[in-house]
Amino acid sequence: MTEAKQEHLYKILVIGELGTGKTSIIKRYVHQFFTPHYRATIGVDFALKVLNWDQNTLVRLQLWDIAGQERFGNMTRVYYKEAVGAFVVFDLTRLSTFEAVTKWKADLDSKVLLSNGKPIPAVLLANKCDLGSEEFDKGTAQQLDTYCKEKGFLGWHKTSAKENIGIDDSAKCLVSEILSNN
Ligand code: GTP
Ligand code: MG
């Protein structure tokens, strides 16, 4: 007899400052597509990614692509509701977008929690790594490790939506944590 396949639907948030590449990461991950043209997201967009996790497990990720400008709005509480995981994205060529990560993470943790009262698992994405990451030396990597521990991130990944680097790996990292919580 074959075992019944387990199916999961998970709501995942993608947050971070304007123009850091949230929409581009999702487009790459879901549609294998990249465009250099920037069109700011208004409010929120959605995408669905289906993962054949293993022989017995199907995972559907409902990705909520939150506009960077929403950090200044009142809607994030509504958008974050019932999310079970998050990606927080910064642009590694713009320090100000990294500085804002702390604010995004605090906003997240203040507005949504797992049913057990813990913060939802979050992964930090250092995006646009195709744009020369000389400043991203060993020291920086260690600082980011420490930062993630302090702020309660599962970890961080260098990503590029343009070159398709690190996106699948970071999603695997987040999903395996979510599966272990459920
Ligand atoms: P908002 O919707 O305003 O919050 O922005 P966003 O975070 O969704 O950014 P978006 O994905 O629209 O990308 C902004 C700009 O950065 C676009 O011109 C993208 O083409 C570019 N971009 C995104 N990811 C990458 C990347 O990995 N490498 C490079 N070189 N450019 C990228
Ligand atoms: Mg966008």
Side-chain angles (χ1 to χ4, degrees), residues 67-132:
Q69 32 188 297
E70 287 297 328
R71 185 160 68 81
F72 309 102
N74 297 319
M75 287 299 285
T76 55
R77 185 181 300 280
V78 178
Y79 296 148
Y80 293 174
K81 210 168 175 242
E82 283 166 14
V84 295
F87 293 107
V88 185
V89 184
F90 71 98
D91 173 345
L92 60 72
T93 70
R94 285 188 293 141
L95 184 63
S96 64
T97 68
F98 173 70
E99 288 164 351
V101 166
T102 305
K103 296 175 194 157
W104 279 101
K105 181 72 164 67
D107 189 56
L108 182 70
D109 291 345
S110 70
K111 291 176 179 166
V112 63
L113 293 169
L114 297 176
S115 49
N116 64 12
K118 291 197 176 149
I120 68 171
V123 171
L124 181 60
L125 303 183
N127 192 42
K128 309 195 188 181
C129 72
D130 57 285
L131 293 178

Side-chain angles (χ1 to χ4, degrees), residues 16-25 34-42 65-69 89 91 94 127-131 159-164:
E17 288 296 269
L18 277 164
T20 51
K22 300 175 295 295
T23 301
S24 303
I25 288 169
F34 175 79
T35 170
H37 302 295
Y38 174 39
R39 211 178 66 190
T41 304
I42 310 293
D65 176 8
I66 315 277
Q69 32 188 297
V89 184
D91 173 345
R94 285 188 293 141
N127 192 42
K128 309 195 188 181
C129 72
D130 57 285
L131 293 178
T159 58
S160 167
K162 185 175 179 203
E163 308 287 347
N164 194 18

